[in-house]
Amino acid sequence: MYFAALLARTEDGWEASDTELDDVETLPDLTDLAREASVDEDTVVVYIEQEDAWFGVVRVDGEEDPRIYVSDAAAASRSSYGEILLTDELLGREPGAEDVIAALEELVGLDESEDDADDEAPAGVVVGGRTAPDDTIDTDQDTDPDAVPAGPIGDAGLLADLGLSSRALLTLRTDALAEIAEALGAAEVLESVR
């Protein structure tokens, strides 16, 4: 179960709305949605949660790049909405690295001919007095550089100037939106959309 809310700061305080993410496929889509709700290019906070698993906060200030915090990157990576927030930059990867790796793997697969595959002995079969290698056994104990880390990731201080310190944000787990809204002074307007 997902819930998303948008809090837009105005001269008179905060305006809240629940947000449909059906048409949001990328971080730029989400950023555009936030900017559309902005009043005079003021701050907009987008909150996304998957019940009892993870939550994410995106802060958009005018035309500046969005600032992102995710409470549990590994849990979010298993969610289509979480994948929107887990950009290559946030994860410390080269942009587009996954696309390059996939293209290289496809090229390697194209180079293998069926004749070569027929000439190879199945793994574990004795060939000429020796056992053919078993490619399915992973002896490499190194961690996967593309693995998504468990736990929080991103800019924990993105709400510090609005009343929620990075330490407080890092300790939030379930029902984080209520505590975030309380710190921002937006609890009442949030209740109207929840």
Side-chain angles (χ1 to χ4, degrees):
M1 180 81 174
Y2 291 95
F3 177 77
L6 194 140
L7 297 168
R9 189 164 64 175
T10 69
E11 288 181 3
D12 301 323
W14 292 90
E15 291 181 359
S17 61
D18 60 343
T19 305
E20 287 296 324
L21 300 177
D22 294 340
D23 296 330
V24 174
E25 296 180 3
T26 64
L27 182 60
D29 292 344
L30 186 62
T31 304
D32 290 344
L33 182 71
R35 287 189 178 124
E36 288 170 13
S38 176
V39 177
D40 297 327
E41 295 190 0
D42 209 337
T43 302
V44 176
V45 175
V46 181
Y47 176 88
I48 302 170
E49 75 176 16
Q50 181 180 4
E51 195 172 87
D52 297 330
W54 65 274
F55 70 89
V57 180
V58 179
R59 176 177 175 168
V60 178
D61 293 295
E63 293 301 316
E64 293 180 25
D65 288 341
R67 297 167 64 188
I68 304 166
Y69 171 80
V70 177
S71 66
D72 188 334
S77 70
R78 296 185 291 273
S79 154
S80 58
Y81 294 130
E83 288 178 349
I84 292 170
L85 305 181
L86 298 175
T87 63
D88 287 335
E89 182 180 343
L90 190 68
L91 295 170
R93 297 178 184 159
E94 280 294 316
E98 290 178 359
D99 297 337
V100 171
I101 291 169
L104 290 173
E105 287 175 347
E106 187 175 322
L107 284 174
V108 169
L110 292 175
D111 285 346
E112 292 177 2
S113 69
E114 290 180 27
D115 295 334
D116 292 341
D118 291 341
D119 293 339
E120 292 177 6
V125 174
V126 177
V127 178
R130 60 183 172 77
T131 304
D134 185 352
D135 292 335
T136 61
I137 299 173
D138 184 14
T139 57
D140 186 5
Q141 299 299 320
D142 295 341
T143 58
D144 180 3
D146 291 329
V148 176
I153 191 169
D155 183 354
L158 81 166
L159 301 175
D161 64 320
L162 300 175
L164 188 69
S165 70
S166 57
R167 180 180 298 237
L169 185 60
L170 288 166
T171 61
L172 297 179
R173 293 291 172 252
T174 58
D175 201 25
L177 180 57
E179 295 187 47
I180 291 170
E182 183 72 34
L184 300 180
E188 281 186 32
V189 294
L190 178 65
E191 281 304 314
S192 66
V193 299
R194 216 159 183 206

